[in-house]
Amino acid sequence: MYAYPKTQNGRAKRSKPRVLLLLQGVHHLMLYENMFRHCTTVEWCCLLPARPKDLPAEGLAEVERLFFRHGVRFFSDSQSALAHVTEIDAVVTTWSVPHPKHLVVLPFIALAYEVGLPVFELQHGLFQIGLTYSEDGAFSGSGDGVATALPEARNLVCDSLEWFGDGGIGYPRLDGEERDREDGITRKRSVTFVTNHHWSIIADGERRNCYRIMADAISAVPDADFVLLPHGGEMKSEDFQAMTASLDSAGIANYRIEMRRFDGVYDTLLQHTDLIVASISTTLLDCEMAGTPTVLFRNPSQQSLLDALQSKVTVGTSQELIGTIRDVLYRGYRPYVTTGFLTPFRADVLEDRILTAIDWSARKPRPDILVAAARYLGLLTRT
């Protein structure tokens, strides 16, 4: 940290509008780095749900890298972020689905609306906004056996920043840079699983079937290396743990689990593997961007989402996947996925949307903002 004097009137100098970005986790920093790199007409301040001391070493290093490279600043806790609301010109959130997990940012959204700050929902995945879906069920809420939200329920924020469609800002990770590819002949053949099987919409039987297919393929092709890139939530899954336990007990050693995402680890794996086997998730855009042969798991509960993709090859049984792997590794077969939703990032569109909203906002006077902030912080009720 550094100390420096303020101006004579006691106010710090600031020439750019300040945007508070509410993120769901440190993993989103990789997704949005191009915003920090190219949208330089605003000053970015981020709030992560984890405190600095609770961040993994890899995540803390990424935070510090973004600060020194792009000038991005981070609040250490929600109270500090709310207390600085008089210095914020706009709020952008990736937490907007109306269910309990996203309600941690509701005070920021409500306060911004109350005091006249523009608020945007920034698309953080292929679904929820953009390519939308609706989970339907007798119960809506959180936990097993319930839909996330009521059918066709609107998200918490009115204005959205979508990746594609009219006025879309593009996929933040696609910046047009050339990506070097490795000659597959010079290394051992490999298959990479990019999965998101913790998603509640997937039935238990479908989830177990996917893991069974993975285990069978790893066992059936011992001369290939298999890399598992699971969603963090899968590591706690009994089905995932049962799959790896069965492989280990059988002495299967041609696989490994990779949880690192920064320092180019994630992109290098996608670009330099022979085949990606993926589940329906935002990572499909990364697979398409990598230009690597890709096949998708076929689950009945997700068929409508598969149908929305422009082109794809799917597998639903162990025999299908094993045959596909052998065709790719030894017979030159090249299946690809085309989502139809991968468009280059447009920093100018994003900056224009935010700056225009700031210019047109009816911001309340500083004293009114402080009174509202105190209410949300609970300061007015403390003794």
Side-chain angles (χ1 to χ4, degrees):
M1 292 183 288
Y2 306 91
Y4 57 90
K6 292 184 178 180
T7 57
Q8 289 185 352
N9 63 5
R11 296 185 180 183
K13 291 183 178 179
R14 181 159 63 91
S15 59
K16 299 179 181 179
R18 185 171 287 156
V19 179
L20 174 63
L21 178 58
L22 308 172
L23 297 174
Q24 295 184 26
V26 69
H27 60 288
H28 273 176
L29 297 177
M30 183 175 68
L31 174 59
Y32 297 125
E33 181 173 356
N34 279 331
M35 289 171 32
F36 308 142
R37 176 186 291 118
H38 299 299
C39 299
T40 57
T41 59
V42 301
E43 180 181 331
W44 296 98
C45 293
C46 298
L47 175 64
L48 298 169
R51 296 171 298 178
K53 70 181 185 66
D54 297 324
L55 288 173
E58 183 187 34
L60 185 59
E62 184 67 5
V63 164
E64 293 176 342
R65 184 184 70 84
L66 292 175
F67 168 66
F68 287 110
R69 177 169 293 185
H70 305 302
V72 185
R73 298 180 185 275
F74 296 83
F75 284 108
S76 63
D77 56 275
S78 297
Q79 289 78 14
S80 295
L82 275 173
H84 280 79
V85 67
T86 57
E87 305 301 323
I88 300 299
D89 299 293
V91 176
V92 177
T93 177
T94 62
W95 301 65
S96 293
V97 176
H99 68 74
K101 288 185 178 180
H102 285 212
L103 296 185
V104 294
V105 299
L106 186 56
F108 293 93
I109 296 171
L111 176 59
Y113 278 134
E114 181 173 342
V115 302
L117 299 180
V119 188
F120 291 95
E121 176 187 6
L122 175 62
Q123 185 165 348
H124 71 273
L126 189 57
F127 308 106
Q128 295 178 346
I129 61 174
L131 175 61
T132 56
Y133 71 95
S134 175
E135 294 185 48
D136 199 356
F139 293 97
S140 296
S142 62
D144 295 335
V146 300
T148 296
L150 289 171
E152 305 302 331
R154 294 184 179 183
N155 287 353
L156 300 173
V157 175
C158 301
D159 295 321
S160 61
L161 298 166
E162 300 180 10
W163 292 346
F164 40 83
D166 294 339
I169 65 171
Y171 184 45
R173 301 206 68 226
L174 182 59
D175 59 2
E177 292 182 357
E178 291 293 330
R179 300 173 184 270
D180 295 331
R181 295 190 60 82
E182 182 180 316
D183 183 359
I185 299 175
T186 63
R187 55 173 170 76
K188 188 173 181 180
R189 302 181 187 279
S190 68
V191 177
T192 299
F193 288 105
V194 184
T195 56
N196 190 10
H197 290 145
H198 82 298
W199 200 2
S200 60
I201 195 174
I202 302 175
D204 291 339
E206 294 174 332
R207 185 178 296 106
R208 286 190 289 270
N209 182 55
C210 288
Y211 290 135
R212 186 183 307 113
I213 292 172
M214 293 169 63
D216 290 345
I218 293 170
S219 302
V221 191
D223 56 335
D225 283 333
F226 288 82
V227 182
L228 278 57
L229 286 175
H231 186 282
E234 288 184 81
M235 299 296 290
K236 304 174 185 177
S237 166
E238 293 182 1
D239 295 323
F240 182 89
Q241 294 173 358
M243 175 192 66
T244 57
S246 68
L247 290 170
D248 294 342
S249 64
I252 305 298
N254 61 322
Y255 86 96
R256 66 182 174 89
I257 300 171
E258 181 60 77
M259 296 305 297
R260 294 174 298 164
R261 294 297 186 267
F262 298 116
D263 295 328
V265 172
Y266 173 74
D267 289 321
T268 298
L269 280 172
L270 295 189
Q271 294 166 30
H272 295 169
T273 192
D274 293 289
L275 175 67
I276 298 172
V277 184
S279 58
I280 282 282
S281 76
T282 303
T283 53
L284 293 186
L285 297 176
D286 297 326
C287 299
E288 182 179 2
M289 189 170 67
T292 301
T294 302
V295 296
L296 309 180
F297 285 104
R298 183 175 63 251
N299 292 315
S301 64
Q302 299 173 304
Q303 188 59 48
S304 63
L305 302 179
L306 286 170
D307 292 341
L309 305 179
Q310 199 170 93
S311 65
K312 72 278 180 184
V313 174
T314 65
V315 293
T317 66
S318 299
Q319 292 74 21
E320 284 180 309
L321 179 56
I322 293 168
T324 299
I325 291 174
R326 288 173 173 161
D327 286 344
V328 170
L329 297 185
Y330 311 118
R331 302 182 182 92
Y333 178 46
R334 294 293 180 266
Y336 292 99
V337 62
T338 304
T339 63
F341 304 104
L342 182 64
T343 58
F345 178 55
R346 299 179 60 190
D348 59 325
V349 175
L350 176 58
E351 286 183 318
D352 182 69
R353 289 285 305 278
I354 293 176
L355 294 175
T356 299
I358 292 174
D359 289 341
W360 282 89
S361 62
R363 185 191 187 101
K364 287 190 175 181
R366 178 183 173 89
D368 293 344
I369 296 175
L370 287 173
V371 170
R375 189 181 337 111
Y376 285 95
L377 285 166
L379 297 178
L380 296 181
T381 60
R382 292 179 183 176
T383 56

